[in-house]
Structure formats: C-alpha cells, structure tokens
Amino acid sequence: MFARPSTLGTLDFSLLYDQENNALHCTINKAKGLKPMDHNGLADPYVKLHLLPGASKANKLRTKTLRNTLNPTWNETLTYYGITDEDMIRKTLRISVCDEDKFRHNEFIGETRIPLKKLKPNQTKNFSICLEKQLPIDKTEDKSLEERGRILISLKYSSQKQGLLVGIIRCAHLAAMDANGYSDPYVKTYLKPDEDKKSKHKTAVKKKTLNPEFNEEFCYEIKHGDLAKKTLEVTVWDYDIGKSNDFIGGVVLGINAKGERLKHWFDCLKNKDKKIERWHTLTNELPGAVLSD
C-alpha cells in the first residue's frame, strides 16, 4: 500500500495518564508515508507537542530529529508533569510533525489533536492516526486567566513544631521570561496578613530552566487555631541581574480560595501532622499582591 501523494502520512503513538504522579506520558513511536519536504524527496522529521489551551512556549515538548526519511521511528517518550484531573477534562494535546530545515523556518507537515478526556487514568491508549492540515488555534479561549505554569506544594501542620510546614517541591512548564527561551526561577512565600513583613521565605534560584526542582521547606510558627485566618501567597519570579525581577505567576491558598486551592488548605487544617502534596496552576493575577521584589 503506497500512500497517495495527497496524504500527509500516518503517526503511531500512545498516551498514558499516570494519575497518582500527575504525569502524562506521550510515547511517539513512528510515522509512515510522510509528505516529502526536501529536494531529495525526503524529510528531516521531528514531532512536537503542545497542550491547549496554554502558553505554547512553556509547554512545548519535542522529539529528536531523524534525517532523510519519510518513515521515521522515534520510540521516544515525552512527559508532562503537573497534569491534574481537571486538565484531563479540559485540555487537548496537539501533536505536530515538522520538517527541520537548517536554512529556513522549520516546515509543518501535519498534525492531530487528542482531547485528553478520551483517556482513562492509568491505561495506555494506542493511536494510529492520519495527519491533518494545520488547524487554526482558537486564541479567544486563552484570555480568561493566562496560565503561567504549575507548582507542586506540600502543606503540613506539625504539632511538634507548632507550625505550618510549606514545601516548595518543583515547578513545571513555567512561562519563559528571558530572551534565551528560559527563566531563572525562584519562589517566594508569604503568610498573610503579615503586619511586620516577617513571613517572607525565598528558595534558591535555579538557572536556565522552565521545570525547576527546589525541594525546600519553610516553617511558619503559628497556632493551629490561627491558620484559618491566614492565607498563603506563593509567587514565582525570574531572577535578573541588575534589573528588577520578573513576576512569572502565583497562587493563593487559604479559606477564601476556591477549588483545589481551598481543598488543599482545608485538608491540611483537618489532617494534623500529615503532609499533603498538590499541584496548582500559576496565574498572572494575584489579589492584592505587591508585584515587586
């Protein structure tokens, strides 16, 4: 069976949502009968992934490029971390096959889109799909609250230390702030209201990454009964030498928050001495946050 010249080719891949670890594994197996892109009648194909809606630069993953072939075999697994059950309902994975070109822009060959709600948790689903022409991206759906990445936070009220332990574990697909397409991220936490400005904690700066691992823990000494009146403000910043640091995004946990952010706080309050980890979406809006460092 030869592919007709009008077809763009087929792509074989599999998807697995690992619910417990909030990870989406995308295994790109192979493509067949890709459209020739180069003078020699071949192509230099690679595959790139985007999660829609979402800032495309921050959540782009790509395979290696294979040279001079219309039937590439990658067998490469690309993983998104910090994927929540809510994402699985709301988001679509866009998979594009492109031709790498040294001298010009890389050229688009074909794409496919998979609504993540088609996947069942913890079950690998295999796909073999005919590539389609480029579909328009709906820009309007993205404007409500711009996503700036994800953060994994742990909370624990320790009766031994008489305080709230806040763990800043890692961030995933942060928005890029620097010209090199990366950021130099660090995280700040405040427990508010905070009259004396004494509650600020800061992690170390991680250089040139959109997926930093911090694994730092801060302790706020506070009576358990007072926690209900407090909110925890977590902000992620891009460190810049010699000029002011850029705000990447933030999240507020507390009794006045909603959804996952409220649930995380509530679970922490009612389960003393139990560490509870959750991923949260960073947004570019923080109520009453002072956006300066």
Side-chain angles (χ1 to χ4, degrees):
M1 256 298 283
F2 289 105
R4 295 192 309 283
S6 62
T7 65
L8 302 168
T10 58
L11 183 67
D12 292 3
F13 58 96
S14 65
L15 302 176
L16 169 64
Y17 174 47
D18 173 355
Q19 195 172 31
E20 194 189 345
N21 295 304
N22 296 99
L24 175 64
H25 302 292
C26 315
T27 301
I28 306 298
N29 298 318
K30 59 182 198 254
K32 284 204 298 278
L34 293 179
K35 187 176 142 196
M37 301 303 280
D38 299 339
H39 296 312
N40 60 8
L42 298 169
D44 301 317
Y46 66 93
V47 176
K48 66 178 179 187
L49 307 180
H50 287 124
L51 279 179
L52 306 173
S56 60
K57 231 189 180 137
N59 76 54
K60 184 171 78 173
L61 298 174
R62 62 163 284 177
T63 65
K64 56 186 180 294
T65 300
L66 297 176
R67 300 276 166 214
N68 294 328
T69 176
L70 299 180
N71 300 293
T73 299
W74 288 280
N75 289 336
E76 214 176 310
T77 299
L78 305 170
T79 299
Y80 283 106
Y81 295 101
I83 299 295
T84 59
D85 291 350
E86 193 189 348
D87 290 324
M88 296 303 292
I89 296 163
R90 216 166 58 82
K91 292 202 182 257
T92 294
L93 179 67
R94 177 186 181 213
I95 304 178
S96 326
V97 182
C98 300
D99 172 53
E100 189 175 293
D101 208 316
K102 282 201 182 81
F103 306 108
R104 296 193 305 256
H105 275 306
N106 293 343
E107 286 178 293
F108 174 85
I109 297 175
E111 70 163 62
T112 185
R113 295 190 187 189
I114 308 293
L116 295 181
K117 58 175 181 278
K118 286 189 169 177
L119 304 180
K120 291 194 175 74
N122 310 315
Q123 287 184 24
T124 300
K125 191 168 162 85
N126 295 303
F127 296 86
S128 184
I129 282 184
C130 287
L131 295 169
E132 298 174 66
K133 291 193 182 73
Q134 201 150 11
L135 298 161
I137 290 185
D138 183 2
K139 288 281 193 254
T140 52
E141 66 189 6
D142 240 10
K143 288 291 173 264
S144 51
L145 247 195
E146 194 189 340
E147 277 193 23
R148 314 285 290 177
R150 295 292 155 95
I151 187 164
L152 181 58
I153 298 172
S154 69
L155 297 178
K156 176 170 112 171
Y157 187 81
S158 161
S159 19
Q160 186 197 353
K161 292 189 172 165
Q162 292 283 299
L164 175 68
L165 299 177
V166 177
I168 301 299
I169 301 165
R170 66 191 298 175
C171 294
H173 34 98
L174 293 176
M177 291 289 155
D178 296 339
N180 62 10
Y182 292 102
S183 292
D184 300 317
Y186 67 95
V187 180
K188 275 195 313 186
T189 65
Y190 283 100
L191 199 59
K192 295 188 165 182
D194 174 27
E195 275 68 49
D196 321 330
K197 296 270 186 288
K198 284 211 175 116
S199 78
K200 179 164 92 168
H201 284 295
K202 261 187 186 181
T203 67
V205 174
K206 301 291 175 182
K207 288 286 184 206
K208 218 176 134 182
T209 175
L210 300 179
N211 296 285
E213 281 197 51
F214 297 101
N215 295 320
E216 292 191 39
E217 196 170 64
F218 308 124
C219 183
Y220 288 104
E221 283 181 30
I222 182 170
K223 289 195 198 75
H224 184 262
D226 292 344
L227 263 186
K229 302 194 276 285
K230 296 282 192 182
T231 59
L232 179 72
E233 183 184 284
V234 179
T235 51
V236 185
W237 298 78
D238 169 46
Y239 176 74
D240 281 319
I241 297 168
K243 56 186 203 293
S244 65
N245 298 326
D246 298 314
F247 173 68
I248 295 176
V251 62
V252 176
L253 308 178
I255 220 81
N256 299 318
K258 292 189 178 65
E260 282 292 307
R261 303 185 300 283
L262 170 64
K263 193 171 179 309
H264 194 179
W265 191 252
F266 194 67
D267 287 349
C268 166
L269 292 187
K270 73 171 194 262
N271 296 289
K272 270 191 187 175
D273 296 310
K274 186 176 170 201
K275 182 187 276 198
I276 298 169
E277 281 188 14
R278 292 272 162 80
W279 283 96
H280 296 284
T281 299
L282 297 166
T283 63
N284 51 353
E285 273 189 332
L286 267 187
V290 186
L291 292 188
S292 65
D293 192 26

